[in-house]
Each structure stands twice: as C-alpha cells, then as structure tokens.
Amino acid sequence: MSEEASVCPSAPGPSTPLKESYTYHSPTPTAKGPYILGVDEAGRGPVLGPLVYGIAYCPASYKEKMEELGFADSKTLNAETRSGLLDILSSDPPNLGWSAISSGMLRRPPTNLNRQSEDATILLIREILAKGIELSEVYVDALGTTTTYEKYLSSLFPSIHFTVATKADSKFKIVGAASVAAKVTRDACVEGWHFEERDGKEDCPWSSELGSGYPSELDRDFTDPNTQAWLKTAIDPVFGFPKIVRFSWTTVKVILDKSAHKVKWTDEGQASLIKAFEGGKGLDKGRCAVTRDLHIKSIDTL
C-alpha cells in the first residue's frame, strides 16, 4: 500500500467499506479573512473507485505565500509529491483549510456527472460559510462551457466573486491545492478499498492490485495495464463485478457482454408489465389488472 493510502486523513480506513458519500473537513482556520477558495475534482474518467471533490482555502492575504508552496495540477505530480503537498496543506491550520467529498458512483439511475459536480461544489461552499469563514473569491475547475455555471454560482452566492475556468488547477494555486486534496483522497480510497462483498468470507476473491482505474484504450495517456488485467480476472459471470466498479461505464458494459452470462428477461419490452398497471375500464375503472387479479382493494377506513 502506498504512502497516500496509509496516511490520508480524508479516506476511510482499510477495514471500512465505502458505501455512501461522505465529507471530510480539516480544522477550521482562524486567521482573519476574507478567504479565497479553490474547487477541483479527481476521478471523473476512471472505471474504478469514487469521484472525489476537493476544496482548499486560505486568507486572501496568504495568496502570495500559496504561490511559493508548489501546488499544481495533481495529474502533473507523482504520488510522493502529492502526499508531501497534502502534508503542507495540513501544516498551517490557522491559515490553510481543505475538505473532500468522496462521492458514490453507484446510484441507479446514474447521476449526471456535471450535475453531481455542481451539487458537491455548492455543498462544500455552504459548509465552509457555515463555519464562519468569509469568502471573497472562489475559483472552480470545470469542463465545457463555464460562463453559465459561473453565473449560476454567482446567483446563489452574490457576495462572492466566482471564476470558473477550464484547467483552473494549472492557473490558480488555490485550485491546484484542491486538486491535490481530491487526488490524494481518491488514490487512498482505491488503494485501501475494502470489498464489502467479502464480509464473512475468509479469503478475498479479488486482487488488491487495482491499478489507477483507467482501462480505456481510447485514452492511451491514462491506460493502466494493471486495471485492464484486474477487470479481466475480477468478473463473475453471474454477478458481474464488486461495487468498486462503475457498471454504467462503456468499458464495463463491453466486458460484461463478452464474459458474463446473458440474461433473458421475461418481458423484454416491458409492454405487458406497463399494461398490467394501466387503469381498468368499465366496472374496473380506477383499478389495474394487478390489483384486480390479486383481489386487492383500497381501504379508506378500518
């Protein structure tokens, strides 16, 4: 297990399954405000593990000091450097604060990632404001058209000046710090993953050599052969994969189509199922076929 997985305070312990989204907050800084805050995420593309949103914040007067600490887009840094930077982010509690949301990717139906990102950003900002921190500027790393998102955030928090930009983690140090918090948290979650499906079993059927979570041949800059190998050996022909895998990803769907047992649904188009719950006619008006056949009646009073 890497250093990131063993010392990251924002990740669950190795014996704790990640069943739901959760939020970690570092101690609240006490230096005089106003504060600037950066937002970034880690894990949008991988097929394994959670999507993590990170924030970092410091007094506006600390901005020049932030320029000297070495924060940058976490994807350009190695694991040892990222871990050291998270230590720096935690080393000056009066001036530096950070938080992370580890967001579950197993919702059915899957949540739109842009919407999920917006919700997490808004939640984190509100929680920092609730701690009594005065925010004057917020910088957000985002994909696609940023102006609409920027206007939306400004409408929610009119007293804060927002800058929403692509590659903000390489343009603003405070976003780079948030990027590090998110990336270190995510890597620690994946490397220390507890397979809840093995609870009660003596041996774990899945290898802990998960890789980084990027298996796609379509993105060769991030392709990880360890992840590709793990996916090929981890599949169960009946139950598919453990919950660390994002079932809605195309890569996973392709593997399931090739290696898992086919499922024959008794009602492929659901047409007859829908018809069974349609309202009846005549004497059965207001009752569907299911309630009629099962002799189910509505009880107004007992």
Side-chain angles (χ1 to χ4, degrees):
M1 185 178 295
S2 75
E3 186 178 0
E4 284 188 358
S6 61
V7 301
C8 182
S10 52
S15 60
T16 305
L18 183 57
K19 295 182 178 181
E20 298 178 350
S21 298
Y22 73 95
T23 305
Y24 168 85
H25 292 292
S26 71
T28 305
T30 56
K32 184 179 179 181
Y35 281 67
I36 62 173
L37 181 147
V39 185
D40 201 5
E41 64 185 38
R44 178 176 283 253
V47 74
L48 301 180
L51 177 55
V52 177
Y53 302 92
I55 62 170
Y57 53 104
C58 69
S61 59
Y62 199 85
K63 196 171 183 178
E64 289 187 9
K65 178 68 173 177
M66 283 293 295
E67 298 289 329
E68 305 170 358
L69 298 180
F71 290 103
D73 175 2
S74 62
K75 295 187 293 295
T76 67
L77 308 171
N78 61 36
E80 182 179 1
T81 300
R82 290 193 298 264
S83 182
L85 286 172
L86 189 67
D87 288 341
I88 291 175
L89 197 55
S90 304
S91 68
D92 190 359
N95 289 292
L96 296 174
W98 63 282
S99 304
I101 290 181
S102 181
S103 186
M105 299 293 293
L106 302 170
R107 298 174 185 173
R108 306 295 299 175
T111 303
N112 176 277
L113 292 185
N114 290 335
R115 177 60 184 274
Q116 186 170 303
S117 179
E118 291 178 6
D119 291 345
T121 297
I122 293 166
L123 174 62
L124 286 167
I125 292 173
R126 284 178 172 159
E127 290 188 347
I128 296 307
L129 292 173
K131 292 176 177 289
I133 297 293
E134 177 191 359
L135 297 175
S136 58
E137 300 174 65
V138 171
Y139 301 85
V140 182
D141 188 281
L143 300 174
T145 304
T146 59
T147 53
T148 302
Y149 187 19
E150 187 173 287
K151 290 179 181 178
Y152 175 59
L153 290 174
S154 297
S155 70
L156 294 177
F157 306 98
S159 64
I160 301 174
H161 180 269
F162 283 89
T163 299
V164 179
T166 58
K167 300 187 182 300
D169 48 4
S170 61
K171 299 174 182 176
F172 309 103
K173 296 299 182 182
I174 196 66
V175 183
S179 175
V180 167
K183 177 63 174 171
V184 174
T185 300
R186 179 189 140 73
D187 286 353
C189 286
V190 173
E191 293 178 31
W193 190 268
H194 177 83
F195 292 96
E196 61 180 285
E197 297 88 349
R198 66 161 291 185
D199 288 350
K201 300 178 182 177
E202 186 173 338
D203 298 320
C204 181
W206 301 285
S207 167
S208 60
E209 300 297 324
L210 303 170
S212 62
Y214 289 91
S216 177
E217 291 289 353
L218 299 177
D219 192 349
R220 294 185 182 276
D221 290 338
F222 292 99
T223 298
D224 189 330
N226 291 329
T227 299
Q228 290 181 330
W230 186 88
L231 286 170
K232 291 177 181 178
T233 59
I235 186 171
D236 182 283
V238 175
F239 299 106
F241 292 101
K243 290 182 179 180
I244 191 174
V245 177
R246 302 178 185 177
F247 279 72
S248 61
W249 258 230
T250 301
T251 302
V252 175
K253 290 180 179 179
V254 170
I255 295 175
L256 289 172
D257 286 341
K258 290 181 178 179
S259 305
H261 295 320
K262 303 296 181 183
V263 177
K264 176 65 177 178
W265 299 101
T266 57
D267 195 339
E268 289 285 356
Q270 295 190 340
S272 61
L273 181 62
I274 293 173
K275 187 174 180 61
F277 283 92
E278 288 180 349
K281 298 178 181 179
L283 295 176
D284 289 320
K285 186 176 182 180
R287 298 181 68 199
C288 66
V290 172
T291 58
R292 184 192 66 230
D293 294 344
L294 297 177
H295 302 288
I296 298 174
K297 296 182 179 180
S298 175
I299 298 178
D300 295 327
T301 58
L302 294 175

